[in-house]
Amino acid sequence: MNEKHIITAVVIGGLLYVGGQYVASQPQRIQKETEANREISVQGTGKVEAKPDIAQFSIGVTTGTQTSAGIATKILTDKFNAVLTAVKSQGVKADDIKTTNLSINPVYDWNNGKQTLKGFEASENIEIKIRDLNKVGDILAQSAVQGANQAGNLQFTIDDPEKLQTEAQKNAITDAQDKAKELTRTLGVGLGRVKTFSSSASSPDVYRTFSNATPLGAGAMEAKAPEVPTGTQEITANVTIVYELK
C-alpha cells in the first residue's frame, strides 16, 4: 500500500472513530437535555394588610406683608414659637420635627410698569412625624389656634415596612409551593429541588389626605380636633420558583 493510500485510510478511520463517538454520546446528551427540561415554573402571591403607625404632615406660619423685615421676623418668631410649643406639648419629640423652609422676602407692587417695595413677608414651615395617630387631629387643631396658617401633605405610612414585606414574601412562597404540589400531583410526577427563585415586594402606599400648603383661615378649627381616619395599607409580594421534576 502506497503512502497516499495509507493517509486516506488513516483519515477515514479517524472520521469513523469521531462519528462513532458522536453516535455513542447521543443517548447521554438526549438524556441530559430531557432531564434539564424536566422542570416546572410556578408563581405565588402573598398579601399582608396593616394599619399605618406613622403620620407626617407639614405646618407653617406666614406673616403676610409687613412694613419691615424686622417686624416680619418678630411676628414670625412669636407665632412660630407658640406653634412649636403646642406641637411638643402633644408629645412630639424634637427628633421628629424638621424645618423645611425659613424665608424672609420682599413684597413688591407693580404700577404702570414700575416696581415699588411694598414690605416684607416672613415664613417658616416644619415637617412633623407623629407616632401616636390618635393625636394627629389635636396637633393640627392646636397648631392652628396658636397661629399656624399653612398645613398640608398629611401622609400615613408604616415605620418598618421590611418586616411586613418579609411576611408577604413567606405567604407568596407558600402559595407557590401549594401550586407546585397540586400541579405535580395532577401530572403524576414528583417534585424535586428548587432550581431558581426570584421575588419582588411592593412598598406600603402613602395616603395623602390634603394637599401641600393649604391655607387655614383665621381661627381655623378653633380648639376642636377633626377626625382623621387612617385606613389600612396592603403590601404584596410575588415570587417565581422553578422546580426540578423527579
Side-chain angles (χ1 to χ4, degrees), residues 124-143:
E124 184 170 2
N125 297 81
I126 55 174
E127 183 178 83
I128 305 168
K129 182 181 286 187
I130 303 169
R131 301 180 186 277
D132 184 351
L133 299 188
N134 293 322
K135 293 186 176 181
V136 173
D138 289 330
I139 292 171
L140 188 58
Q142 291 302 316
S143 298

Side-chain angles (χ1 to χ4, degrees), residues 182-194:
E182 179 63 29
L183 186 58
T184 52
R185 188 161 44 246
T186 302
L187 294 173
V189 295
L191 193 63
R193 67 181 181 88
V194 174

Side-chain angles (χ1 to χ4, degrees), residues 34 50 56 66 77 127 136 174 179 200 218 225 227 234 240 246:
T34 301
Q56 288 180 285
Q66 306 299 320
T77 300
E127 183 178 83
V136 173
T174 300
K179 289 177 179 177
S200 63
E227 292 291 329
E234 183 178 88
T240 300
K246 294 181 179 179

